[in-house]
Amino acid sequence: MSNKISAVNADGVSEPFAAEMAPLEAFSHGERFGSSFRHLSSFGGGDHVGVALEELAPGKESNPSHYHMLEEEHAYILDGALTLKLGACSFIMKAGDYVCFPAGQKVGHSLFNHTDAPCRYLIIGERNPNDVIVYPESGRVCVRLTGEGYDKASTMEYWQGIDASASRPLPQE
């Protein structure tokens, strides 16, 4: 592997690179979640579209089930097989299979490796700084712009909590 931090040359031009040159990162959370990945788009100098080469170990789930309000995601299976959890449905996907998760499609999705071999796939998606991500399993709502998460169960009506009975005095100068 190269010691380069990106595929952008000294003139600021993005050059081709082998996927293995992008740094390998990994995450895990408890026994259920974990994967390893290479952010190809970031290494290549991109920031509008995210492309990651991911590997999901046997028995692991990629992330909590979620959907995006403003971002579209795509997954293309390269090697192995996994189970796509899409709302209440499950689909077995294998090398050569593809799925799109359109923005605003209010059905949670996650990937689970039900096999005894690693599964490699590409994840492609927008990088919208204003996206809102909903996690149906936990009821969490993530507002990317603020970097905060909220409990979806605590919804409010537009005028809830607002005193509409009297006008407020203007500040004195």
Side-chain angles (χ1 to χ4, degrees), residues 56-62 81-83 111-119:
L56 194 57
K60 294 295 183 180
E61 193 167 350
S62 58
L82 52 72
T83 298
L111 305 174
F112 172 72
N113 187 341
H114 66 275
T115 75
D116 59 359
C119 181

Side-chain angles (χ1 to χ4, degrees), residues 41 47-52 68 71-75 122-128:
S41 53
D47 61 2
H48 293 279
V49 177
V51 179
H68 297 265
E71 283 190 4
E72 182 174 285
E73 283 185 303
H74 304 255
L122 285 176
I123 289 286
I124 303 163
E126 300 172 66
R127 289 186 171 174
N128 188 321

Side-chain angles (χ1 to χ4, degrees), residues 98-109:
Y98 164 87
V99 64
C100 176
F101 309 111
Q105 177 176 278
K106 296 180 179 181
V107 177
H109 63 269

